[in-house]
Amino acid sequence: MNIRIPDRVIVFDYGEVISVSQSEADRAALVALSGLEPELFWRLYDRHRDDLDQGIALPHEYWTRVAHDAGVEWSPAQLQLLWAADLRSWISVEPGTIELLAALHAGGTRVALLSNAGFDFSDPFRHSPMARYFEAMFVSAELGLIKPDPEIYRVVAERLGIELAQMVFVDNKAVNVDAAVALGVTGHHFTGVAGLRAFLHELAGRAEAGADEQQSA
C-alpha cells in the first residue's frame, strides 16, 4: 500500500531504524578481534565514536585511538579486520522499515536520510539498493555535525529547501527526536516497525483529510 504524505519530507535515521542492532555474533567477533575484555572494548568503542561520526577522526584514527586507550598496538591487518567487522555489523537491515520506505517512495512522499556515521558509510548508503528511495542522504561526518546538535536539523532543512515545520524526523534515540521537535519538527521515536507504520499512516490520513477540506471550502 502506497503512503502519500504531501508537503512533508520524512527524514530517517539509519542505525536501529533502517538497520537492526548489532547481532551477538557480530559483537563477539569484534571483541575477539580486539583481544580485549568485552567491558573494556565496548567502553572504548563508544568513547571516540562521536569524533568518528562528526568527521573529526577518520576510521583508521578512530581504531588507533581505541587501541591507544586500551594500551595495545594493533597490527595493520587487525585494524582493517576490526573496521570490516564493525561495518558489517551495521549493514543488516529491518525488512519492515525497507518496505515502508518503498511505500513512501511509491506514494510520491519525499524521503531523506540523516545518520550519525563516519565517512566510510557514505558510499554503502548511496550505492545500496535502498538509495533509490531517498532524494538526499546526509551523513554526519560530511556535515561536520552530529545529532542532537540543533544545527544539523537546520542544515538538513535548508538543503532540502523546506521549513523545519515541514520535516518529519524518525530516530531510535529519544534525545535526537526531542532536539528536532524543539525546533518545530514533527518527530517519531522509533521503537518498532508497527509503531512507525501507524504513525506514517496517521500522517497520511491527516494530509488527505486536509486536502478534502480545502476542496470542499
Side-chain angles (χ1 to χ4, degrees):
M1 181 178 178
N2 298 346
I3 304 175
R4 176 171 170 74
I5 309 173
D7 302 323
R8 306 294 287 272
V9 183
I10 318 300
V11 179
F12 281 79
D13 175 38
Y14 175 77
E16 297 176 302
V17 174
I18 296 172
S19 80
V20 295
S21 303
Q22 291 171 305
S23 70
E24 288 303 315
D26 285 333
R27 290 173 66 86
L30 279 162
V31 171
L33 285 167
S34 75
L36 304 177
E37 291 297 317
E39 187 278 332
L40 175 61
F41 175 79
W42 292 113
R43 176 158 49 86
L44 299 181
Y45 178 94
D46 289 336
R47 179 179 292 177
H48 299 293
R49 206 68 181 187
D50 282 355
D51 284 352
L52 178 69
D53 288 347
Q54 198 169 345
I56 295 171
L58 296 174
H60 77 276
E61 294 170 328
Y62 164 77
W63 287 109
T64 300
R65 290 181 187 184
V66 173
H68 177 269
D69 287 0
V72 299
E73 184 174 347
W74 288 323
S75 70
Q78 279 179 291
L79 288 171
Q80 184 70 17
L81 287 167
L82 282 161
W83 170 81
D86 188 41
L87 188 70
R88 184 168 58 247
S89 74
W90 290 109
I91 291 299
S92 296
V93 297
E94 168 54 62
T97 303
I98 300 297
E99 294 299 327
L100 289 174
L101 290 171
L104 288 163
H105 180 73
T109 304
R110 298 177 64 189
V111 179
L113 179 79
L114 173 58
S115 176
N116 276 359
F119 290 108
D120 45 341
F121 277 85
S122 59
D123 279 348
F125 287 159
R126 294 188 176 110
H127 296 289
S128 68
M130 73 171 185
R132 66 190 185 278
Y133 303 131
F134 296 91
E135 69 171 73
M137 290 184 162
F138 300 98
V139 178
S140 59
E142 296 175 343
L143 299 177
L145 298 163
I146 56 172
K147 299 173 290 184
D149 184 340
E151 186 61 20
I152 199 168
Y153 307 105
R154 296 190 184 100
V155 169
V156 167
E158 180 182 0
R159 295 193 183 183
L160 290 170
I162 60 172
E163 300 296 326
L164 284 161
Q166 294 174 272
M167 184 189 297
V168 178
F169 180 61
V170 179
D171 199 294
N172 69 306
K173 293 183 178 178
V175 64
N176 293 341
V177 176
D178 291 345
V181 169
L183 298 174
V185 173
T186 298
H188 175 75
H189 178 209
F190 180 89
T191 57
V193 172
L196 177 57
R197 182 184 298 109
F199 169 75
L200 293 172
H201 280 292
E202 181 182 357
L203 285 180
R206 289 181 190 174
E208 184 177 355
D212 289 343
E213 287 179 8
Q214 287 183 350
Q215 288 179 357
S216 61

